[in-house]
């Protein structure tokens, strides 16, 4: 087992213990993630790097309760999510997690504001609170003047900003992003990464971002490198000053 435990000054927001994911394939068992034990402090921006096939997406999927580990556990904010039944995981994902994907995932028939509003509708938020939160978030990502535009009327960078605002709609504790700048040019990508860094600070988020982008690696509080499903560098840096969430 490879263990990489950081010395965070407060209880970790994310903790994995001997986390493994195996897939049975015709040619044998594939070990996508192997015995990974890490702690991620509250209020940190983490860059998760590694080549394609290194296990980044699988790791994020297990932390985000989209996939279950073969062995080991995942805890988020003190809750062992890898043991929860699916009925409880749905509510956990809606309330505690935010997801950002490379392909944006915006609904084309909805405006920017309506896309951001979707998670709030799912939890049946009060309409007035919903409208206020949507405006607040679009302003936060610099798109208050584009809130009525549909995705095809927005640039790639603007679409990703809408996706970030949507991910933050329910005030998640943890933000998970899988190659969020993969479809953007380098300048736009840097702008997106700067937005993520600012949001981690202002919203008190913990963010784990899988990326090849050297810009994010430079902006991150800590870099964790995966190779063949194992942590080869845990990035033993001092945690960022954490903002405790209620």
């Amino acid at each position: 087992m490879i263990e990489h435990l950081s010395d965070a000054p407060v209880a970790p927001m994310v903790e994995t213990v001997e986390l493994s994911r195996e897939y049975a394939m015709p040619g044998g068992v594939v070990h996508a993630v192997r015995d990974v034990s890490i702690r991620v402090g509250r209020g940190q921006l983490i860059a998760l790097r590694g080549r394609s096939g290194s296990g980044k997406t699988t790791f994020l999927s297990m932390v985000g309760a989209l996939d279950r580990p073969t062995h080991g556990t995942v805890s988020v904010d003190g809750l062992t999510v890898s043991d929860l039944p699916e009925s409880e995981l749905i509510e956990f994902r809606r309330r505690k997690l935010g997801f950002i994907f490379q392909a944006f995932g915006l609904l084309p028939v909805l405006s920017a504001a309506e896309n951001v509003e979707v998670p709030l509708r799912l939890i049946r938020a009060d309409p007035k609170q919903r409208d206020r939160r949507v405006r607040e978030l679009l302003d936060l990502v610099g798109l208050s003047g584009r809130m009525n535009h549909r995705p095809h009327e927005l640039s790639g960078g603007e679409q990703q900003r809408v996706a970030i605002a949507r991910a933050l709609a329910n005030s998640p504790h943890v933000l998970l992003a899988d190659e969020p700048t993969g479809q953007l040019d380098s300048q736009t990508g840097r702008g997106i990464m700067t937005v993520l860094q600012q949001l981690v600070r202002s919203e008190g988020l913990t963010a784990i971002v899988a990326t090849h982008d050297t810009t994010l690696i430079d902006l991150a509080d800590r870099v964790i490198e995966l190779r063949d499903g194992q942590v080869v560098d845990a990035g033993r840096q001092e945690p960022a000053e954490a903002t405790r969430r209620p």
Side-chain angles (χ1 to χ4, degrees):
M1 181 187 77
I2 297 178
E3 186 164 331
H4 300 275
L5 303 181
S6 68
D7 298 322
V10 294
M13 178 57 73
V14 175
E15 181 174 14
T16 68
V17 178
E18 299 182 21
L19 191 67
S20 299
R21 185 66 169 100
E22 301 170 356
Y23 298 96
M25 304 294 285
V29 176
V30 174
H31 301 274
V33 173
R34 307 184 187 205
D35 294 326
V36 172
S37 295
I38 64 169
R39 291 175 184 162
V40 175
R42 297 166 186 265
Q44 283 192 297
L45 174 58
I46 304 296
L48 184 66
R49 72 176 178 183
R51 294 183 176 183
S52 296
S54 62
K56 302 188 303 299
T57 297
T58 301
F59 178 81
L60 286 181
S61 294
M62 289 189 288
V63 172
L66 298 172
D67 192 10
R68 292 189 182 272
T70 307
H71 310 290
T73 60
V74 178
S75 298
V76 176
D77 200 16
L79 179 67
T80 305
V81 299
S82 49
D83 293 340
L84 293 178
E86 185 60 34
S87 58
E88 294 181 33
L89 285 177
I90 294 172
E91 190 66 12
F92 165 77
R93 287 191 292 262
R94 286 179 179 174
R95 300 280 182 174
K96 296 286 188 177
L97 303 178
F99 297 91
I100 303 172
F101 304 101
Q102 180 177 334
F104 314 145
L106 302 179
L107 297 174
V109 298
L110 300 183
S111 67
E114 290 167 337
N115 268 283
V116 175
E117 190 180 39
V118 168
L120 295 165
R121 286 185 174 276
L122 290 175
I123 64 168
R124 299 180 181 180
D126 176 79
K128 289 184 179 179
Q129 294 179 347
R130 197 168 65 212
D131 292 344
R132 182 169 60 250
R133 181 63 173 163
V134 168
R135 291 178 181 277
E136 174 186 278
L137 287 170
L138 287 174
D139 183 60
L140 199 61
V141 299
L143 288 179
S144 57
R146 308 280 280 170
M147 62 187 306
N148 294 318
H149 289 66
R150 292 184 179 181
H152 73 273
E153 299 173 312
L154 302 172
S155 68
E158 288 173 334
Q159 289 184 57
Q160 192 59 291
R161 287 172 185 253
V162 174
I164 291 171
R166 180 185 57 189
L168 297 175
N170 291 339
S171 301
H173 289 213
V174 177
L175 186 65
L176 302 173
D178 194 359
E179 299 286 356
T181 62
Q183 295 191 26
L184 305 175
D185 62 73
S186 58
Q187 183 176 355
T188 304
R190 183 173 184 82
I192 291 298
M193 291 308 182
T194 301
V195 168
L196 284 174
Q197 184 190 48
Q198 293 169 346
L199 291 171
V200 166
R201 302 292 180 261
S202 64
E203 297 280 303
L205 286 168
T206 296
I208 305 177
V209 184
T211 185
H212 292 95
D213 195 322
T214 55
T215 299
L216 176 63
I217 292 169
D218 291 339
L219 293 175
D221 299 311
R222 180 177 166 203
V223 180
I224 298 174
E225 184 174 359
L226 289 178
R227 185 183 304 154
D228 298 327
Q230 295 179 300
V231 174
V232 295
D233 185 350
R236 296 176 183 276
Q237 301 180 41
E238 285 297 318
E241 187 66 26
T243 301
R244 284 187 177 273
R245 296 179 62 96

